[in-house]
């Protein structure tokens, strides 16, 4: 039996999109692929609210995170971590020999603009990385507040991990001044895993020229060059099935559902889970004012067995997430992202309440 996924990626994929994955192949050095790529880029620019260049990678989002921190750090990067995925930025830098400092907060709390200010004021950094929506803790950072502070340091390259929020929450890349914004297909975009997307500014690309060791596969400058010079192609063979499906799904997001309605639906579902959690005697893990609209991390104050609950949910055709690593059993997570509908979420919440009675 297929379990309805209420985990923070991969998510359930609409039938029409699954079908698009069986479109017959086309060559990756053809006009047809360039046209497809151009169509996807135009649509992603609308989704990201940007005029910047769009890059696709046939990897999950971590690949582009690795490529970004390596391609643009000539001196030293600072990573503002609010959880597991923030720490990943630092691990990626270290694994690539990129000098990095990590500013980590207590889990459940956000990155504050004054902290960003304090680090950038040292003048030590040419790159800083932020997690928009931390999937381990359910914290959603305030990018607007960080963007305000960043105006004092316009030369620093700003990288944003928007893997679990882009497509579910409005992120106005150009207005915020984000240099590199990254997302994956298997979260709010509602596609299977295996592809990721980024927007990148020309000035970041220009800056990256002085970085000598940018690797090969995730070298942002190489990806950019192929998109620009050989219009809309990639250095290596892309996941063409993902491209067919992404193009179709972007039509659905932008035109059928509409961006604003999509954001409202995510917000509504987040509110449903938050009030359900509190009414059921649990508490919310993320600090008030910084709670994610795409995934809710619930403090297991009732000390139920989350593993057992998930097993029983599985028998009914549902799946939620236990807490992330050390938060296992101390928290559990309910994702409300992509094309999940409020009625489906309500059915899950009713079922859990019945089971823990
Ligand atoms: C899922 C996730 C990642 C990792 O993305 P992959 O596509 O699995 O590589 C990174 N950051 C956040 C916030 C995520 O939720």
């Amino acid at each position: 039996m297929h379990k309805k996924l209420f985990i923070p990626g991969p998510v359930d994929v609409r039938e029409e999109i699954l079908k698009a994955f069986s479109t017959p192949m086309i060559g990756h050095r053809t006009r047809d692929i360039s046209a497809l790529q151009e169509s996807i880029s135009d649509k992603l620019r609308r989704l990201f609210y940007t005029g910047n260049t769009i890059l696709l990678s046939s990897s999950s989002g971590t690949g582009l995170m690795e490529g970004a921190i390596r391609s643009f750090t000539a001196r030293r990067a600072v990573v503002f971590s609010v959880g597991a995925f923030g720490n990943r930025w630092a691990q990626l830098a270290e694994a690539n020999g990129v000098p990095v400092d990590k500013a980590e907060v207590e889990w459940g709390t956000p990155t504050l603009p004054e902290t960003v200010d304090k680090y950038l004021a040292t003048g030590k950094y040419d790159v800083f990385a932020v997690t928009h929506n931390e999937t381990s803790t359910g914290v959603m950072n305030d990018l607007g507040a960080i963007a305000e502070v960043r105006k004092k340091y316009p030369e620093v390259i700003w990288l944003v991990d928007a893997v679990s929020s882009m497509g579910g929450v409005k992120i106005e890349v150009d207005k915020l001044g984000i240099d590199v914004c990254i997302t994956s297909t298997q979260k709010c975009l509602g596609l299977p895993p295996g592809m990721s997307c980024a927007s990148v500014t020309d000035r970041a690309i220009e800056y990256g020229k002085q970085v000598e060791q940018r690797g090969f596969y995730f070298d942002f400058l190489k990806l950019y060059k192929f998109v620009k010079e050989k219009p809309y192609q990639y250095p290596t063979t892309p996941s063409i099935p993902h491209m067919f499906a992404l193009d179709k799904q972007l039509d659905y997001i932008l035109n059928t559902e509409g961006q604003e309605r999509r954001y409202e639906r995510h917000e509504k579902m987040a509110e449903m889970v938050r009030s359900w959690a509190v009414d059921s005697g649990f508490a919310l893990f993320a600090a008030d004012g910084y709670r994610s609209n795409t995934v809710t991390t619930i403090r297991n104050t009732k000390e139920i067995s989350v593993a057992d609950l998930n097993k029983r949910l599985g028998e009914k055709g549902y799946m939620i997430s236990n807490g992330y690593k050390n938060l296992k059993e101390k928290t559990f997570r309910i994702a409300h992202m992509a094309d999940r509908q409020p009625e489906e979420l309500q059915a899950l919440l009713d079922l859990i309440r019945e089971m823990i009675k």
Side-chain angles (χ1 to χ4, degrees):
M1 177 178 49
H2 172 72
K3 290 180 195 166
K4 268 196 166 169
L5 301 178
F6 287 83
I7 60 175
V11 295
D12 282 320
V13 179
R14 295 183 306 114
E15 202 57 42
E16 175 196 25
I17 297 306
L18 288 175
K19 283 209 185 91
F21 270 79
S22 43
T23 309
M25 280 311 101
I26 56 175
H28 71 299
R29 294 283 175 247
T30 58
R31 278 168 204 232
D32 286 348
I33 198 87
S34 299
L36 178 59
Q37 166 62 21
E38 189 172 3
S39 164
I40 293 169
S41 292
D42 287 343
K43 290 168 194 174
L44 281 176
R45 270 191 280 269
R46 278 174 65 196
L47 189 74
F48 283 51
Y49 303 87
T50 186
N52 294 337
T53 302
I54 298 290
L55 303 177
L56 300 180
S57 172
S58 297
S59 68
S60 76
T62 305
L64 283 178
M65 288 168 67
E66 177 159 9
I69 202 143
R70 181 167 178 175
S71 298
F72 300 119
T73 312
R75 286 189 292 131
R76 191 172 194 88
V78 56
V79 165
F80 295 96
S81 173
V82 298
F85 291 104
N87 289 345
R88 183 172 292 185
W89 273 122
Q91 288 164 353
L92 291 167
E94 278 160 12
N96 283 280
V98 172
V100 67
D101 289 327
K102 184 170 77 172
E104 190 177 0
V105 297
E106 192 192 333
W107 284 29
T109 69
T111 296
L112 294 173
E114 45 274 34
T115 311
V116 175
D117 198 4
K118 197 182 94 190
Y119 275 84
L120 297 189
T122 63
K124 271 165 60 179
Y125 308 103
D126 50 359
V127 167
F128 77 108
V130 167
T131 312
H132 176 227
N133 189 74
E134 177 52 70
T135 316
S136 57
T137 62
V139 164
M140 192 160 73
N141 275 316
D142 181 354
L143 292 181
I146 295 169
E148 273 309 305
V149 157
R150 183 273 170 95
K151 283 184 184 156
K152 288 163 69 179
Y153 314 97
E155 69 291 349
V156 182
I157 308 278
W158 185 12
L159 316 179
V160 173
D161 165 359
V163 170
S164 62
S165 49
M166 181 62 79
V169 180
K170 188 180 213 167
I171 305 171
E172 295 178 283
V173 167
D174 286 358
K175 205 161 142 189
L176 293 162
I178 299 167
D179 287 287
V180 180
C181 189
I182 298 168
T183 199
S184 302
T185 49
Q186 80 279 13
K187 307 260 169 111
C188 298
L189 292 179
L191 292 147
M195 183 164 263
S196 48
C197 327
S199 66
V200 60
T201 55
D202 292 344
R203 66 174 212 107
I205 295 292
E206 198 52 43
Y207 189 80
K209 285 181 181 163
Q210 63 187 298
V211 179
E212 278 169 22
Q213 302 283 332
R214 297 186 304 263
F216 187 95
Y217 198 70
F218 296 113
D219 174 4
F220 266 63
L221 275 67
K222 189 195 289 291
L223 291 168
Y224 180 92
K225 189 167 183 261
F226 266 73
V227 165
K228 290 289 193 192
E229 285 180 13
K230 305 194 175 182
Y232 297 109
Q233 289 190 0
Y234 279 93
T236 56
T237 323
S239 174
I240 297 167
H242 272 94
M243 292 173 70
F244 286 126
L246 179 56
D247 191 48
K248 219 179 182 61
Q249 175 69 348
L250 285 168
D251 280 336
Y252 177 81
I253 294 173
L254 298 169
N255 305 323
T256 308
E257 181 171 31
Q259 280 159 283
E260 295 296 337
R261 270 169 57 195
R262 195 171 176 86
Y263 305 143
E264 280 161 23
R265 176 169 55 78
H266 279 81
E267 193 177 343
K268 176 180 171 178
M269 292 194 295
E271 281 164 6
M272 283 167 65
V273 176
R274 288 175 206 149
S275 51
W276 171 88
V278 174
D279 291 349
S280 307
F282 294 108
L284 300 170
F285 189 75
D288 193 13
Y290 296 94
R291 289 173 185 150
S292 167
N293 277 354
T294 64
V295 57
T296 299
T297 300
I298 297 161
R299 213 182 270 279
N300 185 12
T301 43
K302 290 167 78 85
E303 296 183 4
I304 58 164
S305 163
V306 177
D308 180 60
L309 170 66
N310 222 355
K311 191 161 155 256
R312 287 193 293 151
L313 284 171
E315 289 158 9
K316 298 278 185 193
Y318 290 89
M319 182 179 184
I320 62 168
S321 273
N322 208 319
Y324 195 93
K325 286 197 185 146
N326 3 353
L327 289 178
K328 211 164 247 164
E329 296 295 331
K330 296 193 182 89
T331 65
F332 59 98
R333 293 172 296 163
I334 297 177
H336 28 84
M337 57 173 71
D339 298 318
R340 185 58 71 217
Q341 299 301 318
E343 310 77 65
E344 298 170 301
L345 178 63
Q346 191 59 54
L348 169 82
L349 299 178
D350 292 345
L351 188 60
I352 299 179
R353 189 167 283 179
E354 191 57 39
M355 284 178 174
I356 62 175
K357 209 158 62 184

